[in-house]
Amino acid sequence: AQSVTQLGSHVSVSEGALVLLRCNYSSSVPPYLFWYVQYPNQGLQLLLKYTTGATLVKGINGFEAEFKKSETSFHLTKPSAHMSDAAEYFCAVSRANQAGTALIFGKGTTLSVSS
Amino acid sequence: DAGVIQSPRHEVTEMGQEVTLRCKPISGHNSLFWYRQTMMRGLELLIYFNNNVPIDDSGMPEDRFSAKMPNASFSTLKIQPSEPRDSAVYFCASRPGQGANTEAFFGQGTRLTVV
């Protein structure tokens, strides 16, 4: 069964510092992986996704993630944090079974950015 | 497109009352999902539909919860009777097609408080 684990429920960085949010997946088949962002009192918004092809995926707002099969990881990074990046971030895997497909989410990581 | 539309945005109800949450997916999307978000459990998949047919309801917590999708443009999640532990944010999401490589689009959520 496919699943994701997000390491660290809370990450704090200073404005301008590197952002690194960790996600490891478990899947017996090649996974489809996603990162979503949730701002307060909002729904989830797609940041980026990995399906096939290039393992370094670029998303919106300067975020990118690298799919590493050998490490079963899909960590999210941004070179320089901005105050507006403060939000909750979710990693997700697309679960495929006989019943169909659905997105299964990790527990989320809250990113705080200080000035 | 207006995106996924959920109503109401906020609902406060007394324990024992029936609660109905509503969702209008994006036109043309044929997969629909209901998720529940709490601090303790994160984002849980409750049920999802393909072409208006329930495919996997294994995430529905109890018989008190039921979901329907009478047509391609409308779905409901009903809780009867409601309990304080049902307090959470409930999200509806829709997805084009059934491919595992497509992202889900989320509504703004319904914040349910059961007192």
Side-chain angles (χ1 to χ4, degrees), chain A residues 16-90:
Chain A
L18 171 71
V19 175
L20 171 61
L21 305 182
R22 300 178 187 273
C23 173
N24 287 90
Y25 69 88
S26 172
S27 177
S28 58
V29 298
Y32 298 124
L33 296 162
F34 305 77
W35 275 101
Y36 280 79
V37 61
Q38 184 183 28
Y39 298 104
N41 300 314
Q42 299 285 322
L44 279 72
Q45 176 185 2
L46 181 71
L47 273 177
L48 49 81
K49 66 178 181 181
Y50 169 77
T51 55
T52 57
T55 56
L56 182 63
V57 181
K58 294 187 184 300
I60 62 172
N61 301 337
F63 284 92
E64 61 183 35
E66 186 170 11
F67 171 66
K68 292 187 176 180
K69 185 178 179 181
S70 61
E71 299 177 6
T72 62
S73 69
F74 190 56
H75 301 332
L76 182 71
T77 60
K78 181 174 180 177
S80 176
H82 191 273
M83 296 293 286
S84 61
D85 294 327
E88 189 159 18
Y89 292 80
F90 293 91

Side-chain angles (χ1 to χ4, degrees), chain B residues 14 18-19 21-22 27 36 38 44 46 48-49 53-54 56 78 80 84 88 96 100 105 107 111:
Chain B
E14 292 185 347
E18 176 180 297
V19 175
L21 310 181
R22 296 172 174 79
S27 177
R36 178 172 69 176
T38 61
E44 301 173 277
L46 299 178
Y48 73 96
F49 297 82
V53 176
D56 185 354
K78 185 178 295 187
Q80 165 64 19
F105 295 78
R111 183 175 296 276

Side-chain angles (χ1 to χ4, degrees), chain A residues 32 34 36 38 41-44 46 49 51 88 90 94-95 97 99-107, chain B residues 9 33 35 37 40-43 45 48 55-56 91 95 98-104 106-108 111:
Chain A
Y32 298 124
F34 305 77
Y36 280 79
Q38 184 183 28
N41 300 314
Q42 299 285 322
L44 279 72
L46 181 71
K49 66 178 181 181
T51 55
E88 189 159 18
F90 293 91
S94 198
R95 182 192 74 188
N97 56 30
T101 63
L103 282 181
I104 304 302
F105 288 86
K107 292 286 176 82
Chain B
R9 287 295 310 276
F33 308 85
Y35 289 89
Q37 184 179 32
M40 292 297 294
R41 302 172 72 92
L43 264 170
L45 176 65
Y48 73 96
I55 298 299
D56 185 354
F91 286 102
R95 196 180 196 183
Q98 300 179 32
N101 60 345
T102 57
E103 66 264 32
F106 281 76
Q108 299 278 58
R111 183 175 296 276

